[in-house]
PDB file of all heavy atoms in Angstrom:
ATOM      1  N   LYS A  38     229.161 215.802  61.497  1.00 98.00           N
ATOM      2  CA  LYS A  38     227.878 215.164  61.191  1.00 98.00           C
ATOM      3  C   LYS A  38     228.005 213.867  60.401  1.00 98.00           C
ATOM      4  O   LYS A  38     227.055 213.103  60.303  1.00 98.00           O
ATOM      5  CB  LYS A  38     226.990 216.140  60.437  1.00 98.00           C
ATOM      6  CG  LYS A  38     226.633 217.351  61.292  1.00 98.00           C
ATOM      7  CD  LYS A  38     225.737 218.306  60.568  1.00 98.00           C
ATOM      8  CE  LYS A  38     225.416 219.498  61.476  1.00 98.00           C
ATOM      9  NZ  LYS A  38     224.743 220.555  60.729  1.00 98.00           N
ATOM     10  N   GLY A  39     229.181 213.608  59.831  1.00 98.00           N
ATOM     11  CA  GLY A  39     229.376 212.394  59.054  1.00 98.00           C
ATOM     12  C   GLY A  39     230.742 212.395  58.406  1.00 98.00           C
ATOM     13  O   GLY A  39     231.439 213.418  58.404  1.00 98.00           O
ATOM     14  N   THR A  40     231.123 211.243  57.870  1.00 98.00           N
ATOM     15  CA  THR A  40     232.442 211.097  57.262  1.00 98.00           C
ATOM     16  C   THR A  40     232.347 210.185  56.048  1.00 98.00           C
ATOM     17  O   THR A  40     231.775 209.090  56.132  1.00 98.00           O
ATOM     18  CB  THR A  40     233.441 210.493  58.271  1.00 98.00           C
ATOM     19  OG1 THR A  40     233.442 211.297  59.457  1.00 98.00           O
ATOM     20  CG2 THR A  40     234.846 210.416  57.701  1.00 98.00           C
ATOM     21  N   VAL A  41     232.922 210.646  54.938  1.00 98.00           N
ATOM     22  CA  VAL A  41     233.012 209.846  53.725  1.00 98.00           C
ATOM     23  C   VAL A  41     234.442 209.351  53.601  1.00 98.00           C
ATOM     24  O   VAL A  41     235.386 210.145  53.607  1.00 98.00           O
ATOM     25  CB  VAL A  41     232.627 210.660  52.472  1.00 98.00           C
ATOM     26  CG1 VAL A  41     232.887 209.850  51.202  1.00 98.00           C
ATOM     27  CG2 VAL A  41     231.173 211.099  52.544  1.00 98.00           C
ATOM     28  N   VAL A  42     234.600 208.034  53.507  1.00 98.00           N
ATOM     29  CA  VAL A  42     235.896 207.404  53.263  1.00 98.00           C
ATOM     30  C   VAL A  42     235.823 206.814  51.859  1.00 98.00           C
ATOM     31  O   VAL A  42     234.910 206.036  51.565  1.00 98.00           O
ATOM     32  CB  VAL A  42     236.207 206.311  54.304  1.00 98.00           C
ATOM     33  CG1 VAL A  42     237.524 205.613  53.982  1.00 98.00           C
ATOM     34  CG2 VAL A  42     236.227 206.897  55.715  1.00 98.00           C
ATOM     35  N   MET A  43     236.777 207.215  51.008  1.00 98.00           N
ATOM     36  CA  MET A  43     236.792 206.771  49.610  1.00 98.00           C
ATOM     37  C   MET A  43     238.097 206.039  49.339  1.00 98.00           C
ATOM     38  O   MET A  43     239.167 206.544  49.691  1.00 98.00           O
ATOM     39  CB  MET A  43     236.733 207.971  48.657  1.00 98.00           C
ATOM     40  CG  MET A  43     235.606 208.922  48.913  1.00 98.00           C
ATOM     41  SD  MET A  43     235.713 210.406  47.857  1.00 98.00           S
ATOM     42  CE  MET A  43     236.952 211.365  48.740  1.00 98.00           C
ATOM     43  N   PHE A  44     238.023 204.887  48.731  1.00 98.00           N
ATOM     44  CA  PHE A  44     239.217 204.194  48.252  1.00 98.00           C
ATOM     45  C   PHE A  44     239.309 204.493  46.761  1.00 98.00           C
ATOM     46  O   PHE A  44     238.401 204.144  45.991  1.00 98.00           O
ATOM     47  CB  PHE A  44     239.144 202.693  48.540  1.00 98.00           C
ATOM     48  CG  PHE A  44     239.371 202.404  49.991  1.00 98.00           C
ATOM     49  CD1 PHE A  44     238.327 202.453  50.895  1.00 98.00           C
ATOM     50  CD2 PHE A  44     240.645 202.137  50.465  1.00 98.00           C
ATOM     51  CE1 PHE A  44     238.535 202.230  52.249  1.00 98.00           C
ATOM     52  CE2 PHE A  44     240.873 201.920  51.821  1.00 98.00           C
ATOM     53  CZ  PHE A  44     239.812 201.966  52.714  1.00 98.00           C
ATOM     54  N   ILE A  45     240.387 205.184  46.380  1.00 98.00           N
ATOM     55  CA  ILE A  45     240.598 205.588  44.998  1.00 98.00           C
ATOM     56  C   ILE A  45     242.062 205.324  44.639  1.00 98.00           C
ATOM     57  O   ILE A  45     242.828 204.826  45.470  1.00 98.00           O
ATOM     58  CB  ILE A  45     240.233 207.073  44.759  1.00 98.00           C
ATOM     59  CG1 ILE A  45     241.181 208.006  45.528  1.00 98.00           C
ATOM     60  CG2 ILE A  45     238.776 207.348  45.130  1.00 98.00           C
ATOM     61  CD1 ILE A  45     240.989 209.483  45.184  1.00 98.00           C
ATOM     62  N   CYS A  46     242.449 205.660  43.445  1.00 97.00           N
ATOM     63  CA  CYS A  46     243.853 205.610  43.039  1.00 97.00           C
ATOM     64  C   CYS A  46     244.028 206.534  41.845  1.00 97.00           C
ATOM     65  O   CYS A  46     243.055 207.080  41.335  1.00 97.00           O
ATOM     66  CB  CYS A  46     244.298 204.186  42.717  1.00 97.00           C
ATOM     67  SG  CYS A  46     243.551 203.521  41.217  1.00 97.00           S
ATOM     68  N   ASN A  47     245.258 206.706  41.411  1.00 96.00           N
ATOM     69  CA  ASN A  47     245.536 207.632  40.311  1.00 96.00           C
ATOM     70  C   ASN A  47     245.150 207.090  38.948  1.00 96.00           C
ATOM     71  O   ASN A  47     244.650 207.821  38.113  1.00 96.00           O
ATOM     72  CB  ASN A  47     247.035 207.954  40.255  1.00 96.00           C
ATOM     73  CG  ASN A  47     247.505 208.775  41.417  1.00 96.00           C
ATOM     74  OD1 ASN A  47     246.726 209.337  42.166  1.00 96.00           O
ATOM     75  ND2 ASN A  47     248.809 208.831  41.573  1.00 96.00           N
ATOM     76  N   HIS A  48     245.429 205.805  38.696  1.00 93.00           N
ATOM     77  CA  HIS A  48     245.386 205.317  37.319  1.00 93.00           C
ATOM     78  C   HIS A  48     244.055 204.715  36.867  1.00 93.00           C
ATOM     79  O   HIS A  48     243.831 204.548  35.677  1.00 93.00           O
ATOM     80  CB  HIS A  48     246.516 204.301  37.091  1.00 93.00           C
ATOM     81  CG  HIS A  48     246.182 202.910  37.524  1.00 93.00           C
ATOM     82  ND1 HIS A  48     246.338 202.463  38.810  1.00 93.00           N
ATOM     83  CD2 HIS A  48     245.677 201.874  36.807  1.00 93.00           C
ATOM     84  CE1 HIS A  48     245.957 201.204  38.879  1.00 93.00           C
ATOM     85  NE2 HIS A  48     245.551 200.821  37.688  1.00 93.00           N
ATOM     86  N   CYS A  49     243.179 204.413  37.769  1.00 94.00           N
ATOM     87  CA  CYS A  49     241.932 203.710  37.426  1.00 94.00           C
ATOM     88  C   CYS A  49     241.003 204.587  36.578  1.00 94.00           C
ATOM     89  O   CYS A  49     240.657 205.698  36.972  1.00 94.00           O
ATOM     90  CB  CYS A  49     241.219 203.293  38.714  1.00 94.00           C
ATOM     91  SG  CYS A  49     239.582 202.590  38.429  1.00 94.00           S
ATOM     92  N   PRO A  50     240.562 204.081  35.420  1.00 94.00           N
ATOM     93  CA  PRO A  50     239.651 204.868  34.576  1.00 94.00           C
ATOM     94  C   PRO A  50     238.310 205.159  35.254  1.00 94.00           C
ATOM     95  O   PRO A  50     237.680 206.167  34.955  1.00 94.00           O
ATOM     96  CB  PRO A  50     239.469 204.021  33.323  1.00 94.00           C
ATOM     97  CG  PRO A  50     240.105 202.710  33.587  1.00 94.00           C
ATOM     98  CD  PRO A  50     240.963 202.817  34.792  1.00 94.00           C
ATOM     99  N   PHE A  51     237.878 204.294  36.164  1.00 95.00           N
ATOM    100  CA  PHE A  51     236.623 204.532  36.881  1.00 95.00           C
ATOM    101  C   PHE A  51     236.766 205.730  37.815  1.00 95.00           C
ATOM    102  O   PHE A  51     235.839 206.521  37.970  1.00 95.00           O
ATOM    103  CB  PHE A  51     236.201 203.282  37.672  1.00 95.00           C
ATOM    104  CG  PHE A  51     235.767 202.131  36.816  1.00 95.00           C
ATOM    105  CD1 PHE A  51     236.690 201.193  36.376  1.00 95.00           C
ATOM    106  CD2 PHE A  51     234.444 201.969  36.448  1.00 95.00           C
ATOM    107  CE1 PHE A  51     236.301 200.126  35.586  1.00 95.00           C
ATOM    108  CE2 PHE A  51     234.039 200.906  35.662  1.00 95.00           C
ATOM    109  CZ  PHE A  51     234.976 199.979  35.225  1.00 95.00           C
ATOM    110  N   VAL A  52     237.927 205.857  38.468  1.00 96.00           N
ATOM    111  CA  VAL A  52     238.187 207.000  39.340  1.00 96.00           C
ATOM    112  C   VAL A  52     238.351 208.267  38.506  1.00 96.00           C
ATOM    113  O   VAL A  52     237.771 209.315  38.829  1.00 96.00           O
ATOM    114  CB  VAL A  52     239.433 206.757  40.224  1.00 96.00           C
ATOM    115  CG1 VAL A  52     239.768 208.002  41.038  1.00 96.00           C
ATOM    116  CG2 VAL A  52     239.213 205.560  41.143  1.00 96.00           C
ATOM    117  N   LYS A  53     239.114 208.188  37.432  1.00 96.00           N
ATOM    118  CA  LYS A  53     239.302 209.353  36.562  1.00 96.00           C
ATOM    119  C   LYS A  53     237.951 209.875  36.071  1.00 96.00           C
ATOM    120  O   LYS A  53     237.739 211.079  35.945  1.00 96.00           O
ATOM    121  CB  LYS A  53     240.194 208.996  35.375  1.00 96.00           C
ATOM    122  CG  LYS A  53     241.649 208.793  35.751  1.00 96.00           C
ATOM    123  CD  LYS A  53     242.466 208.418  34.529  1.00 96.00           C
ATOM    124  CE  LYS A  53     243.925 208.284  34.878  1.00 96.00           C
ATOM    125  NZ  LYS A  53     244.758 208.019  33.704  1.00 96.00           N
ATOM    126  N   HIS A  54     237.031 208.959  35.822  1.00 96.00           N
ATOM    127  CA  HIS A  54     235.694 209.289  35.330  1.00 96.00           C
ATOM    128  C   HIS A  54     234.909 210.138  36.334  1.00 96.00           C
ATOM    129  O   HIS A  54     234.080 210.954  35.939  1.00 96.00           O
ATOM    130  CB  HIS A  54     234.960 207.980  35.004  1.00 96.00           C
ATOM    131  CG  HIS A  54     233.589 208.138  34.454  1.00 96.00           C
ATOM    132  ND1 HIS A  54     233.332 208.638  33.188  1.00 96.00           N
ATOM    133  CD2 HIS A  54     232.373 207.862  34.995  1.00 96.00           C
ATOM    134  CE1 HIS A  54     232.023 208.647  32.981  1.00 96.00           C
ATOM    135  NE2 HIS A  54     231.426 208.189  34.050  1.00 96.00           N
ATOM    136  N   VAL A  55     235.145 209.942  37.635  1.00 96.00           N
ATOM    137  CA  VAL A  55     234.342 210.627  38.666  1.00 96.00           C
ATOM    138  C   VAL A  55     235.112 211.688  39.443  1.00 96.00           C
ATOM    139  O   VAL A  55     234.534 212.358  40.303  1.00 96.00           O
ATOM    140  CB  VAL A  55     233.720 209.605  39.654  1.00 96.00           C
ATOM    141  CG1 VAL A  55     232.816 208.623  38.921  1.00 96.00           C
ATOM    142  CG2 VAL A  55     234.776 208.881  40.473  1.00 96.00           C
TER     143      VAL A  55
END
Side-chain angles (χ1 to χ4, degrees):
K38 296 181 180 170
T40 305
V41 173
V42 177
M43 307 174 281
F44 286 86
I45 66 172
C46 69
N47 291 346
H48 84 275
C49 173
F51 291 90
V52 175
K53 288 179 177 184
H54 182 70
V55 300

